Amino acid sequence: MFSSIRVTAFSRAIIFLAGAVFVCHQVLATEVFIAELMVESNVTLEAQTILTALNGMSDITVNNSKVTVSEPQLIAECLIVGDETTCSCSAGYIWSNEVCYSFSCCRETPCKRNVSLITPLCVAKTKVDINGTITVVNWDSSKNDTLVSLLGQLNGFEGLNVTGPREENTVVEFESAVSVRLNTSRLQEIVTEVETKLSGKLLVDTSGMVTIESPETTVCYESSPNLTCRFDEETDRAVWNMSNSRQHFQLNTGSVVALSSKCTTEKYKSCIKVTLHKVTEIWSGTYVCGFTRGSLTHKAKTSLRVALLPDVITLTINPLTVDCSSKDSQGQYPVSLPVCATATISNTSESFQVSWSYTGKDEGISTYTSDGDHLIYKFKGQIDCVETRDAQVINVTFKNTKEQEKTASVNVPVIYKGADFCPEEEVDGSIWPKTPSKDTVINRTCPQGRVGYTSRTCDGTSWQKVYHSCVNEELNKVVNAADNFLKGLGATQEVAMDIFQGLKNSSLQKSGEGETVADVSASISVLNVMATASKNVVLQDDVLPDFTEAASNMLNNTWNGVNKSVVESMSSNYLQSVEGLVKNIRFNQSRGDRGFEKEKLDLRFCLSSDCNVTVFGIDVNLNMTGGQLKAVAVKNLTDKLKNNFSPSKPSSLLISVTQENKTNSTFIRLVFPKEQRSRTVPSCVFWDTENEKWSTEGCKVSKDGNDTVCECTHLTSFAVLFAKSDVSTYVLDMITNVGLSVSVCSLLIFLIIESLVWSAVVKSNLSHFRHTALVNIALFLLLADCCFLASTEPTSLSSTMCLVFTVGKHLFYLAMFSWMLCMSVMLVHQLIFVFSPLRKRVFMFLSSIVGYVCPILIVGSSYVYCKYTNTEYFDPDTCWLRYDSLLRGSMHAFILPVGTVILTNLFSMVVVILTLTKSSVPDGSKADDKETAKSILKVVVFLTPVFGVTWIIGFALLIIDETEPMYQVALYSFTILNSFQGLLILITGCIAEVKVREELLKLIMAKSSRGKSESLKNLTSTTYTKEK
């Protein structure tokens, strides 16, 4: 504190201030004060006399406290002679702001005004730098003079340096300095006057006005240092900025940065404190705080030094695998093999002590080389070829100046003698070396323009698919920017807009299948990071155009190339991220109800109390008392999410609804447009983000004409699941099982009979053709029915057995229809080309191709296609082919060929009927008409089972609405006729055929006669024996 001592003079007096006098007094403990003393005398005094007197004072009493005076210094000196006064400041001091602005004494010259009673009169010099940028229409020398004149009014003004102008003579920068702490209100007045006189905009920042506190020494890696800035005046805004050799960031609250303004005191009206949680390499740099009020910003800066450790250690080995299973040139198995390990870190000024170890044994200290951006450490060692249960591991440890350590390790895949391994293989130009079973090889070489790695796992002796994690280089920069944003580095609206713009640009680029999934996965991670960051940093709706387009573009891809669980995880993260961003982004109400509609994403807003919005045709209705409703609908996502309601199929649309400032209970009504899914029962579901599955809780479904209406009591992401209506009943199941059992027995009997009568009934080519086709039809139908019966309980079967039965049914039914086609084509050929009969060799060759080869090709190609496109070949809930939608699903590999065969067979039946009709035309009698009608009826009855015409009812079931009465008629007809198809073939193809029947009777009669003859012989022999 400062105190004053005054000595009064009558005619002539000298007044001086002895400042920086340390006054100590003892109460309970020693406290130190700085006081200002004013000495007034009516006689001329020498300053040195007063200082000597003060030095001779040991103790004085002030307010009953004992005070010790020490270290007096002269601050100011005033000479008063009559009405004339002359005051001057001592060296190192300058007039206070009150003296300057009240008495116009602002330079380091004596003041002729009577200021002797002003306290403080002089203050210690403190350099304050002033930097500014002024934007004007046109800069000239007169404006320069005006600027110098106005800024020259500042107390302690030292000078002005103007730089510029630039940017078409409109922007000028200047540097100035004063030697005293500024009066900010006076500086603001001058800034306002400059803007008025120059008709421009002036921004000013100062340094030297703010008190900053920071760690004085190097802090430890992952410690949590505090930095605090204080200013003695109230301000409008306070910020922290951080910069290093590479970038400049504004700090905001994030996962690492915590800002607080709760550090103000009575002395310091403004304060901002930053706490950095677990600092790493990127947090070492220069920190600048700033307090802003009006056009003025007061700044201070300091440096933070972090004892660094590498944030990322990239470890690679060469070779990628060690082969101990191959003999050397002498025919001996190796005892050990060499390997080179490389550790790569970002270039840094930190001096590390780097050591290597192999299987827990220290292998010495390593030196490094540099490629400019990175430091590279290498280790060469010998890998032991003696088999061990433990993995062969190489470790590298970095130690910094604070004795802190960070270790990274890499497993060395070793192929031991006699162990399973995958052979070396080249895929897309990359060599995957010989690798032991259950090991994963990581290849850190990516195509040009991409960064990351690819990996591949050896399963037994077979390679799994290559997993791509090579990300587009520009997208990787966006990923890093988003990570920094989450931490609090550069977490501003401008940076957020750059991130979403980069994300949009990356989403427009085309690449290979695996690389596309890697890019989509990285893009989803950016959305997820920004959704998390938006909880701390308010994002404005300027980001919405790029955000919605990027999110829409991500759904244009199929996301193939990875397994189903990865796709499900990606889709769930995508949904939660989009929902979180839409919820947290602040929407400007001046936009009204306008939204953003993209190809795969539609975002709408509602501000009224009775909200009615439409997104992608979904009508949303919600009554709310306040806040803002946001509804976003997406396409191509529901089929990627995990379906815990399988075999129900989700709708193609998913809608997420959120409400800001929700105060009342929720009742939302959604009307989903009709989708072309016949014979299905809809149910309303929402996505449970916590459990990552669909749930029906709080939602009910109803129908409004052809539309599906969902009414729910909560807000989240909604969709409609379509379950196939269960046409199965106890009666139908009983008919199916009984019919198939009868068919199996009938077909066995048919094949036995054919084997017995074969030589007797195939004497002509025509009969040979017919019975060959019938035997194949019966055989394949028998096998198909057996597979059907074996898979009637899919839940009790393993996935492998379910696949086997699906392939069996697919193959055997197609083979059956193929032989039906052969039979119908043969019949038509015989009717049309009567005098050009088919040769047996031609028929057997063509029939073998159609009946055996074609079904195998169809089944094999459909299975390979499903594997290649990463789609399901069969449904494990039914052990049958999948039908997803029109022309989607393996079911089409059955429907299309069977439909073609049935249409061809129908044409053949028509040809036969027309031929019979024409043959009866010449006579024209009623008796002949009856015979013709009987013949036609006989053709229809006999050819329908063997031509598979009954299956046409199945196609009718796809067309008829299940609510119509005809649907049940067709359903029961299809079930009965096709379940008992084997019995019908036995009747029409065997028993009803005269030749077969006659030959069968001959066999029976022959066996009966032989039995009687043997009985007579036995009887005669017995009689003869008795007589003897």
Side-chain angles (χ1 to χ4, degrees):
M1 73 178 185
F2 290 95
S3 60
S4 62
I5 300 175
R6 180 172 299 191
V7 180
T8 306
F10 292 101
S11 59
R12 184 175 181 179
I14 180 170
I15 298 175
F16 70 94
L17 299 177
V21 178
F22 288 94
V23 182
C24 301
H25 69 279
Q26 180 97 16
V27 183
L28 296 176
T30 301
E31 298 182 50
V32 179
F33 298 90
I34 298 177
E36 182 184 281
L37 294 92
M38 185 171 69
V39 180
E40 185 176 355
S41 174
N42 58 357
V43 296
T44 302
L45 296 174
E46 293 293 334
Q48 188 59 43
T49 303
I50 302 300
L51 291 175
T52 302
L54 289 174
N55 284 327
M57 297 175 63
S58 57
D59 297 322
I60 59 175
T61 302
V62 179
N63 296 331
N64 298 322
S65 297
K66 186 177 180 180
V67 177
T68 301
V69 180
S70 63
E71 300 182 24
Q73 295 180 9
L74 182 66
I75 294 177
E77 189 176 0
C78 290
L79 178 64
I80 304 173
V81 180
D83 294 334
E84 295 182 2
T85 302
T86 301
C87 294
S88 59
C89 294
S90 299
Y93 292 88
I94 195 170
W95 300 115
S96 67
N97 286 327
E98 184 178 355
V99 172
C100 175
Y101 299 128
S102 299
F103 298 95
S104 300
C105 294
C106 301
R107 299 290 182 268
E108 296 184 50
T109 57
C111 181
K112 302 297 184 179
R113 306 289 297 274
N114 187 6
V115 294
S116 60
L117 300 179
I118 303 299
T119 303
L121 182 60
C122 296
V123 295
K125 286 185 177 181
T126 302
K127 186 175 181 181
V128 176
D129 293 320
I130 304 172
N131 299 299
T133 302
I134 183 168
T135 305
V136 295
V137 176
N138 190 26
W139 185 262
D140 54 36
S141 59
S142 63
K143 290 183 173 63
N144 190 85
D145 296 338
T146 302
L147 184 62
V148 173
S149 173
L150 292 174
L151 290 178
Q153 300 174 16
L154 291 171
N155 185 22
F157 180 75
E158 294 182 355
L160 178 71
N161 180 33
V162 177
T163 305
R166 56 182 175 82
E167 295 184 14
E168 299 182 355
N169 208 34
T170 60
V171 178
V172 173
E173 295 177 345
F174 64 86
E175 297 175 352
S176 181
V178 295
S179 51
V180 65
R181 286 180 62 86
L182 289 165
N183 183 313
T184 53
S185 59
R186 178 59 179 158
L187 179 58
Q188 183 62 61
E189 292 174 1
I190 293 174
V191 168
T192 303
E193 189 174 357
V194 169
E195 290 179 334
T196 302
K197 289 189 176 182
L198 300 185
S199 300
K201 179 66 178 176
L202 179 60
L203 296 176
V204 175
D205 61 75
T206 71
S207 60
M209 298 281 290
V210 175
T211 302
I212 189 168
E213 298 174 4
S214 64
E216 297 181 357
T217 60
T218 302
V219 300
C220 290
Y221 186 81
E222 291 193 342
S223 61
S224 299
N226 296 316
L227 296 89
T228 305
C229 276
R230 295 183 174 90
F231 187 55
D232 52 12
E233 298 180 25
E234 291 185 357
T235 54
D236 300 329
R237 188 169 64 95
V239 296
W240 275 98
N241 290 279
M242 178 264 180
S243 62
N244 52 36
S245 59
R246 296 181 294 273
Q247 290 175 299
H248 176 84
F249 302 98
Q250 178 178 322
L251 301 185
N252 214 324
T253 298
S255 61
V256 175
V257 177
L259 296 178
S260 174
S261 59
K262 296 179 180 179
C263 51
T264 57
T265 62
E266 186 176 350
K267 180 179 179 182
Y268 295 105
K269 304 296 190 300
S270 298
C271 179
I272 184 168
K273 176 182 178 182
V274 59
T275 301
L276 305 175
H277 299 286
K278 293 188 175 182
V279 290
T280 56
E281 181 179 1
I282 62 173
W283 299 98
S284 184
T286 301
Y287 288 77
V288 178
C289 64
F291 296 94
T292 301
R293 187 170 186 178
S295 302
L296 304 180
T297 301
H298 305 285
K299 296 181 177 180
K301 69 178 181 179
T302 186
S303 294
L304 180 67
R305 298 182 299 276
V306 181
L308 304 180
L309 283 173
D311 291 339
V312 178
I313 303 173
T314 304
L315 268 176
T316 59
I317 57 173
N318 185 26
L320 296 176
T321 61
V322 175
D323 186 8
C324 293
S325 64
S326 300
K327 296 180 180 180
D328 57 19
S329 56
Q330 281 97 29
Q332 300 294 321
Y333 288 103
V335 177
S336 64
L337 289 172
V339 69
C340 178
T342 302
T344 305
I345 64 172
S346 297
N347 203 343
T348 176
S349 59
E350 184 76 18
S351 178
F352 295 119
Q353 181 178 336
V354 181
S355 59
W356 294 86
S357 64
Y358 165 57
T359 61
K361 298 178 182 179
D362 292 336
E363 298 290 341
I365 298 175
S366 174
T367 57
Y368 67 88
T369 58
S370 175
D371 63 0
D373 294 331
H374 301 91
L375 301 180
I376 303 167
Y377 299 81
K378 290 189 176 181
F379 163 74
K380 293 183 178 179
Q382 291 290 125
I383 300 300
D384 196 346
C385 284
V386 178
E387 186 171 356
T388 175
R389 292 184 179 180
D390 299 326
Q392 306 257 23
V393 180
I394 296 176
N395 299 302
V396 62
T397 301
F398 289 79
K399 182 186 291 186
N400 62 16
T401 54
K402 291 283 188 178
E403 299 298 314
Q404 294 177 287
E405 295 182 352
K406 188 170 187 178
T407 300
S409 61
V410 59
N411 290 346
V412 182
V414 180
I415 306 174
Y416 296 107
K417 181 176 64 175
D420 290 338
F421 62 88
C422 293
E424 182 178 305
E425 189 172 287
E426 181 178 355
V427 178
D428 298 330
S430 297
I431 301 296
W432 297 97
K434 187 176 176 181
T435 301
S437 176
K438 306 302 180 183
D439 264 312
T440 298
V441 179
I442 297 176
N443 186 350
R444 296 192 179 275
T445 302
C446 289
Q448 186 175 3
R450 292 187 163 268
V451 294
Y453 65 91
T454 55
S455 62
R456 202 175 185 197
T457 300
C458 175
D459 186 6
T461 58
S462 301
W463 284 106
Q464 293 184 0
K465 286 185 177 180
V466 177
Y467 179 78
H468 293 268
S469 192
C470 288
V471 179
N472 180 279
E473 203 165 19
E474 293 302 317
L475 177 59
N476 191 61
K477 294 178 181 178
V478 177
V479 172
N480 293 333
D483 288 339
N484 288 337
F485 193 98
L486 177 62
K487 293 172 183 175
L489 276 176
T492 63
Q493 178 70 15
E494 292 75 19
V495 174
M497 291 181 66
D498 291 339
I499 289 173
F500 284 111
Q501 184 180 25
L503 196 63
K504 179 195 72 174
N505 294 338
S506 297
S507 69
L508 295 172
Q509 297 184 8
K510 302 297 182 182
S511 54
E513 183 180 273
E515 295 171 346
T516 298
V517 176
D519 287 347
V520 171
S521 180
S523 299
I524 292 173
S525 72
V526 172
L527 292 181
N528 190 28
V529 167
M530 295 303 293
T532 303
S534 65
K535 298 175 182 178
N536 297 319
V537 181
V538 177
L539 299 180
Q540 304 299 326
D541 59 3
D542 295 339
V543 304
L544 285 175
D546 288 337
F547 157 59
T548 52
E549 184 169 352
S552 174
N553 292 339
M554 292 178 202
L555 297 174
N556 286 331
N557 302 302
T558 58
W559 300 8
N560 292 332
V562 292
N563 59 45
K564 186 178 180 182
S565 61
V566 174
V567 172
E568 290 173 350
S569 177
M570 288 171 57
S571 58
S572 180
N573 289 336
Y574 173 91
L575 178 58
Q576 293 183 50
S577 302
V578 170
E579 191 176 60
L581 280 167
V582 170
K583 180 180 179 180
N584 295 332
I585 292 175
R586 181 171 294 173
F587 179 70
N588 186 356
Q589 296 189 6
S590 62
R591 288 181 179 269
D593 293 343
R594 289 177 299 168
F596 301 87
E597 183 176 356
K598 307 298 179 181
E599 183 180 353
K600 295 292 189 298
L601 185 145
D602 190 5
L603 174 61
R604 300 293 166 180
F605 307 92
C606 181
L607 307 176
S608 61
S609 58
D610 185 14
C611 276
N612 289 281
V613 296
T614 301
V615 281
F616 278 152
I618 304 173
D619 296 330
V620 182
N621 175 260
L622 176 68
N623 291 320
M624 56 184 187
T625 56
Q628 184 181 98
L629 180 138
K630 302 174 183 177
V632 57
V634 293
K635 298 178 179 178
N636 287 9
L637 182 67
T638 52
D639 59 334
K640 298 177 176 65
L641 291 165
K642 181 180 180 181
N643 188 0
N644 53 299
F645 281 88
S646 181
S648 297
K649 302 297 180 185
S651 59
S652 60
L653 293 174
L654 181 146
I655 181 170
S656 172
V657 183
T658 59
Q659 179 187 354
E660 287 185 357
N661 305 319
K662 181 176 173 292
T663 57
N664 59 336
S665 59
T666 301
F667 180 79
I668 185 171
R669 187 174 189 268
L670 304 105
V671 181
F672 287 81
K674 179 184 178 182
E675 294 198 12
Q676 298 300 320
R677 301 197 179 197
S678 58
R679 299 175 308 284
T680 55
V681 178
S683 59
C684 294
V685 294
F686 73 94
W687 184 252
D688 185 346
T689 55
E690 183 175 348
N691 298 310
E692 295 190 350
K693 66 178 183 179
W694 295 110
S695 174
T696 59
E697 185 177 351
C699 292
K700 63 179 183 179
V701 64
S702 60
K703 296 289 289 184
D704 183 6
N706 292 326
D707 298 330
T708 302
V709 179
C710 293
E711 295 177 339
C712 300
T713 57
H714 53 77
L715 300 179
T716 182
S717 298
F718 302 97
V720 174
L721 293 179
F722 293 94
K724 295 180 180 179
S725 56
D726 190 5
V727 299
S728 177
T729 63
Y730 176 77
V731 175
L732 285 175
D733 290 341
M734 182 63 70
I735 293 173
T736 301
N737 292 330
V738 171
L740 289 176
S741 301
V742 171
S743 288
V744 169
C745 295
S746 301
L747 292 170
L748 287 172
I749 295 171
F750 174 84
L751 292 173
I752 293 171
I753 293 174
E754 284 289 327
S755 66
L756 294 175
V757 301
W758 181 263
S759 58
V761 297
V762 295
K763 293 180 179 179
S764 66
N765 283 350
L766 182 60
S767 61
H768 184 273
F769 298 159
R770 181 174 181 275
H771 282 275
T772 299
L774 280 174
V775 167
N776 280 279
I777 290 170
L779 176 62
F780 287 121
L781 179 59
L782 173 64
L783 294 173
D785 287 348
C786 290
C787 290
F788 198 102
L789 285 172
S791 60
T792 52
E793 295 292 337
T795 55
S796 63
L797 298 174
S798 65
S799 178
T800 302
M801 290 305 299
C802 195
L803 172 63
V804 169
F805 289 135
T806 303
V807 171
K809 287 184 284 187
H810 192 190
L811 176 64
F812 298 143
Y813 278 127
L814 283 183
M816 177 191 74
F817 278 102
S818 298
W819 279 101
M820 288 178 176
L821 177 64
C822 294
M823 187 172 181
S824 67
V825 171
M826 178 271 296
L827 180 60
V828 171
H829 183 275
Q830 293 298 111
L831 289 174
I832 296 175
F833 304 101
V834 179
F835 301 104
S836 299
L838 277 173
R839 288 180 296 172
K840 183 185 294 186
R841 181 177 298 178
V842 173
F843 173 79
M844 292 305 299
F845 175 75
L846 295 177
S847 297
S848 297
I849 293 176
V850 175
Y852 301 136
V853 178
C854 288
I856 293 173
L857 289 177
I858 293 172
V859 174
S861 59
S862 62
Y863 180 77
V864 171
Y865 174 80
C866 290
K867 295 292 285 185
Y868 178 76
T869 57
N870 201 30
T871 55
E872 296 291 339
Y873 170 73
F874 71 101
D875 188 345
D877 296 316
T878 59
C879 287
W880 184 228
L881 304 175
R882 292 183 65 92
Y883 178 84
D884 298 324
S885 61
L886 185 62
L887 297 181
R888 287 189 61 191
S890 57
M891 181 67 77
H892 293 86
F894 179 77
I895 292 176
L896 295 178
V898 168
T900 303
V901 170
I902 291 175
L903 289 176
T904 305
N905 291 354
L906 279 174
F907 171 77
S908 300
M909 286 183 65
V910 171
V911 170
V912 173
I913 293 171
L914 290 176
T915 303
L916 291 174
T917 305
K918 288 180 180 180
S919 63
S920 62
V921 169
D923 297 332
S925 65
K926 290 184 179 181
D928 291 334
D929 290 340
K930 288 182 179 179
E931 289 299 324
T932 301
K934 289 180 180 180
S935 300
I936 293 173
L937 182 60
K938 184 178 179 181
V939 167
V940 172
V941 171
F942 278 75
L943 293 184
T944 293
V946 294
F947 278 10
V949 179
T950 54
W951 284 72
I952 200 171
I953 304 175
F955 289 89
L957 289 171
L958 298 175
I959 303 172
I960 304 173
D961 193 334
E962 62 181 351
T963 58
E964 296 182 6
M966 280 302 298
Y967 181 82
Q968 292 296 321
V969 174
L971 179 61
Y972 275 85
S973 300
F974 178 80
T975 304
I976 294 170
L977 290 175
N978 289 292
S979 296
F980 289 92
Q981 187 176 6
L983 176 62
L984 296 176
I985 289 176
L986 174 64
I987 295 172
T988 58
C990 184
I991 298 175
E993 187 174 341
V994 176
K995 287 185 178 180
V996 175
R997 192 170 60 244
E998 289 177 351
E999 187 62 28
L1000 186 61
L1001 288 173
K1002 287 181 182 179
L1003 290 173
I1004 294 172
M1005 293 300 294
K1007 284 201 174 189
S1008 177
S1009 300
R1010 191 180 305 115
K1012 288 181 180 179
S1013 299
E1014 290 178 354
S1015 298
L1016 289 172
K1017 288 180 181 178
N1018 291 335
L1019 180 59
T1020 306
S1021 176
T1022 303
T1023 304
Y1024 177 73
T1025 303
K1026 286 181 179 181
E1027 289 178 352
K1028 289 182 72 173

